[in-house]
Amino acid sequence: MRIAVLSDIHSNLVALDAVLATIGTVDAVWQLGDIVGYGPQPDAVVERLIELGAIGVRGNHDAAAVGGNEIEYFNVDARRAIEWTRRVIRPSTAAYLAALPERLIEDEVTMVHGSPREPTWEYVTSVTVARASFQAFRTGSCLHGHTHIPAVFRDNDGTIEVIAPRDGTILRLDERRVLLNPGSVGQPRDGDPRASYAIIDTDRAEVTWRRVAYDIAAIQAAMRAVDLPPHLVARLDHGL
Ligand code: ZN
């Protein structure tokens, strides 16, 4: 089985469609939350995920978009984008986001947005948090997003190994437990502006990370057209 793993799409349909054009034939699409927020196309992105039959979890931006108090913790730009999202989304989009679980287990894989210990908010960015995270799920692998940075934390008998996957990196899955982050489709933050995602191939027992260039100017024009914050527009150029 081939599974496309997408996270942090952030209402960026241009990036999502560029990714979908490269994934080939897949048996499933799994998404790790933050479908909306920051970007200008929340309804269209949700529509696309429904067409794909995607399954997945909700992120902090998804929760905030449907009235969650998560918005109180957002910086000014994130808050402005979510207030805009709240105003414009169709009721069916809001219903889709509101129905997403915060944790999902599928085919012996755990999915969360932030961390398995704190699915909505915690960032898995350090060995310390990764070590604690391994205590908070029971499956062999846990997929997560939230940081917008592709990453692997692997538990080698209590020693946590850290890998920073690049375009084309292949990780072989074995008995060692792993935390896997596919990076962000719609707003990468590792200095590479290209959309990031991962493919799991269960027959080969491997995960491949991919980067895809997309028409950044097109999504930026769409953001300006609805008056989203200039900083959110500009950061897409740099992937930061
Ligand atoms: Zn995000």
Side-chain angles (χ1 to χ4, degrees):
M1 180 153 118
R2 286 183 89 242
I3 303 152
V5 184
L6 314 178
S7 191
D8 297 276
I9 300 166
H10 282 296
S11 295
N12 186 340
L13 184 69
V14 183
L16 175 60
D17 279 346
V19 162
L20 294 176
T22 66
I23 62 176
T25 307
V26 293
D27 302 290
V29 175
W30 293 354
Q31 69 77 26
L32 308 178
D34 280 6
I35 296 168
V36 302
Y38 296 135
Q41 298 158 315
D43 288 328
V45 166
V46 166
E47 218 169 86
R48 186 72 83 247
L49 291 175
I50 292 169
E51 281 167 22
L52 293 165
I55 60 167
V57 294
R58 78 163 179 252
N60 48 314
H61 287 255
D62 305 321
V66 293
N69 69 354
E70 287 79 3
I71 196 170
E72 306 303 334
Y73 301 92
F74 282 2
N75 64 38
V76 176
D77 288 341
R79 187 185 179 107
R80 261 185 68 195
I82 279 298
E83 285 169 346
W84 175 84
T85 303
R86 284 178 173 181
R87 281 200 304 277
V88 302
I89 54 174
R90 292 196 288 256
S92 58
T93 296
Y96 180 90
L97 297 173
L100 293 168
E102 67 173 18
R103 181 190 307 264
L104 188 62
I105 297 176
E106 185 79 8
D107 297 327
E108 298 299 307
V109 176
T110 300
M111 285 179 244
V112 292
H113 179 63
S115 79
R117 186 166 66 165
E118 219 291 44
T120 306
W121 274 112
E122 190 171 49
Y123 292 88
V124 184
T125 48
S126 67
V127 165
T128 307
V129 175
R131 183 173 284 113
S133 295
F134 279 111
Q135 310 295 320
F137 67 101
R138 296 181 180 282
T139 54
S141 348
C142 175
L143 306 175
H144 70 99
H146 196 36
T147 65
H148 298 210
I149 294 174
V152 177
F153 293 90
R154 181 157 60 184
D155 184 358
N156 292 320
D157 275 334
T159 303
I160 309 296
E161 178 188 1
V162 186
I163 300 166
R166 295 163 178 276
D167 187 24
T169 295
I170 296 175
L171 179 81
R172 296 204 192 288
L173 299 171
D174 52 29
E175 70 291 343
R176 290 173 287 183
R177 299 176 78 218
V178 282
L179 286 153
L180 305 172
N181 187 329
S184 168
V185 170
Q187 194 203 70
R189 291 182 192 162
D190 62 343
D192 182 343
R194 295 177 297 171
S196 184
Y197 71 101
I199 295 278
I200 300 176
D201 187 322
T202 58
D203 299 331
R204 301 167 72 101
E206 61 187 33
V207 186
T208 306
W209 276 259
R210 297 245 186 89
R211 303 304 284 255
V212 183
Y214 71 97
D215 190 348
I216 292 174
I219 196 73
Q220 289 174 321
M223 293 171 81
R224 286 193 198 96
V226 295
D227 206 22
L228 285 166
H231 171 67
L232 298 180
V233 177
R235 70 187 302 179
L236 295 179
D237 281 324
H238 311 293
L240 287 171

